[in-house]
Amino acid sequence: MYPKGRMSHHFREMCEGEYLAVKGPQGRFNYKPGQVRAFGMIAGGTGITPMFQLSRAILENPKDKTSVHLIYANTTLEDILLKEELDAFASKFPNRFKVYYVLSQPTDSAWKGGVGHVSKEMIQDYCPPPALDIQILRCGPPGMNKAMEAHLNALGYTSPMQFEF
């Protein structure tokens, strides 16, 4: 539970057997192998869901040569969803899948990933540069999506190069 989480308190108060209707993520994205040379992906928390699904589809298709560059932001190391699976992709496909983790509140002084919030500099360092055959996908909390859109625009990624789930 997050102390300031909008849904955390509601979930905590629910009883076993109760239901909650949910929807999301927003945005319809259709992928065809080879539609871009590379994807940059910026995910926050549960926003990893569509990124993981697309990455798995790309990497498990031996005919698809698309590369994936993922920046994945969370609060703490324990909050990183699918970490084992993402690390396995990075190991199995070192030339096609790169992941960079960012924590806003790292609890271990030995943490080697990014610290704070995803910055323009992180995007420059870990995502492919703007080009016609590049697309940047983003999925995270509304504030993060808004900040990432501003960073991407400032870095020269045009609207057709961006997609928000």
Side-chain angles (χ1 to χ4, degrees):
M1 184 182 105
Y2 289 110
K4 295 181 182 178
R6 291 181 181 176
M7 294 304 296
S8 295
H9 295 284
H10 182 73
F11 287 136
R12 191 167 144 203
E13 299 297 320
M14 290 180 73
C15 296
E16 188 173 330
E18 289 184 318
Y19 291 90
L20 176 68
V22 295
K23 72 174 192 170
Q26 301 293 326
R28 183 168 176 78
F29 184 80
N30 292 315
Y31 176 69
K32 294 180 185 80
Q35 81 181 41
V36 295
R37 177 173 46 89
F39 281 110
M41 298 180 175
I42 305 170
T46 58
I48 192 64
T49 306
M51 308 305 187
F52 180 77
Q53 291 172 326
L54 179 58
S55 296
R56 183 173 55 191
I58 290 168
L59 298 171
E60 290 179 354
N61 180 349
K63 294 180 182 178
D64 195 338
K65 301 305 177 202
T66 305
S67 64
V68 176
H69 306 257
L70 170 65
I71 298 174
Y72 185 22
N74 284 276
T75 304
T76 67
L77 181 62
E78 293 75 28
D79 295 323
I80 300 175
L81 303 172
L82 299 166
K83 187 171 188 316
E84 286 182 22
E85 292 86 344
L86 295 169
D87 290 345
F89 284 163
S91 258
K92 189 173 179 181
F93 305 100
N95 297 321
R96 294 184 50 218
F97 184 84
K98 309 257 188 251
V99 60
Y100 181 69
Y101 299 104
V102 180
L103 299 178
S104 60
Q105 296 174 19
T107 54
D108 184 349
S109 60
W111 174 248
K112 301 273 192 253
V115 176
H117 297 287
V118 177
S119 66
K120 281 194 295 192
E121 293 75 21
M122 289 177 193
I123 295 169
Q124 283 179 306
D125 291 344
Y126 297 101
C127 283
L132 295 176
D133 59 352
I134 294 298
Q135 193 163 29
I136 306 293
L137 310 177
R138 57 183 191 274
C139 188
M144 179 184 179
N145 283 334
K146 186 174 182 179
M148 294 309 100
E149 181 180 20
H151 289 340
L152 292 167
N153 289 339
L155 291 169
Y157 295 92
T158 62
S159 288
M161 292 178 202
Q162 300 181 47
F163 183 85
E164 180 180 315
F165 287 97

